[in-house]
Amino acid sequence: MEQLEYRKLIRVLEQVATARQGALYPVLADSLAVHLGWKDAFVAENPAYLTLGGGGEEQYRTMFRPDFVEEYAERWRLNNPFASRDGVACLTRHGVATLGQLRLRATGPERDFADTFLRRNGIDDMLKIVVRSPATGAVSTLGVPFDGARRAIEPGDRLMAATLGPLLSPYFYAALAPPRPQ
């Protein structure tokens, strides 16, 4: 990674580190847009496809198009290529995956997810980053949609994503920890 890319990454982490409790996700989304050009990033906590035993309820922590999130949760969640066997294997092994790389082995419903749902919402590709707490095992994903006409996912984006996921871990789980009794 070039020095300029490290500077961008450090700026994101500096802004996340100064986020007040409850403001982590908006600060992260703004910082990713400003410093990395990743617009409309959103967070899913406890995604069932990456949580051991699939227990718990997925929660979408996002300012990204509430109607999109609602339709996804109600209709498309089970056809998400990131939740496929290949998607889970890639995310577990590498901590990052793109919709483009998963599309090669996608089933019909998974291709419909991309071709119908995502494309209708102006998303040509998506970068998914795993943020996992080494202490608690809690899992979140950071989704970054890309519109191929404006900006495609490049190798540098994948490298930045693989680097960023583990570095965000302490910030995510500090914000998610229940308040201590006084």
Side-chain angles (χ1 to χ4, degrees):
M1 199 179 311
E2 294 182 25
Q3 187 175 9
L4 179 60
E5 299 303 308
Y6 278 115
R7 287 183 183 153
K8 291 177 184 178
L9 180 66
I10 290 167
R11 287 185 188 126
V12 169
L13 293 172
E14 286 173 342
Q15 288 186 326
V16 166
T18 62
R20 296 178 189 261
Q21 189 162 355
L24 174 66
Y25 302 131
V27 168
L28 175 61
D30 289 344
S31 183
L32 292 172
V34 169
H35 299 296
L36 302 180
W38 295 354
K39 296 180 179 10
D40 294 329
F42 60 95
V43 173
E45 292 176 358
N46 198 30
Y49 56 92
L50 289 177
T51 305
L52 290 178
E57 184 178 327
E58 289 184 341
Q59 296 179 5
Y60 306 100
R61 309 287 187 195
T62 181
M63 297 170 58
F64 177 75
R65 306 178 198 167
D67 55 331
F68 171 91
V69 175
E70 184 178 327
E71 183 180 351
Y72 168 77
E74 289 178 6
R75 180 169 179 209
W76 295 100
R77 185 171 56 95
L78 299 176
N79 297 324
N80 182 348
F82 294 103
S84 71
R85 196 166 101 188
D86 288 340
V88 170
C90 189
L91 288 167
T92 301
R93 188 176 311 120
H94 304 292
V96 65
T98 67
L99 185 64
Q101 74 189 114
L102 298 177
R103 210 170 146 63
L104 300 174
R105 291 186 173 149
T107 64
E110 291 165 357
R111 281 192 296 279
D112 287 344
F113 174 88
D115 295 342
T116 303
F117 175 59
L118 292 182
R119 201 118 327 115
R120 179 172 33 85
N121 283 282
I123 300 170
D124 293 320
D125 204 349
M126 184 166 294
L127 180 64
K128 191 73 80 163
I129 305 164
V130 175
V131 183
R132 186 180 306 272
S133 170
T136 67
V139 178
S140 292
T141 58
L142 177 60
V144 184
F146 283 79
D147 172 357
R150 288 181 292 182
R151 185 162 190 273
I153 298 173
E154 298 174 0
D157 293 311
R158 285 191 287 271
L159 178 59
M160 185 67 74
T163 305
L164 185 62
L167 295 174
L168 286 174
S169 181
Y171 301 108
F172 268 54
Y173 301 105
L176 298 178
R180 292 184 189 166
Q182 307 227 347

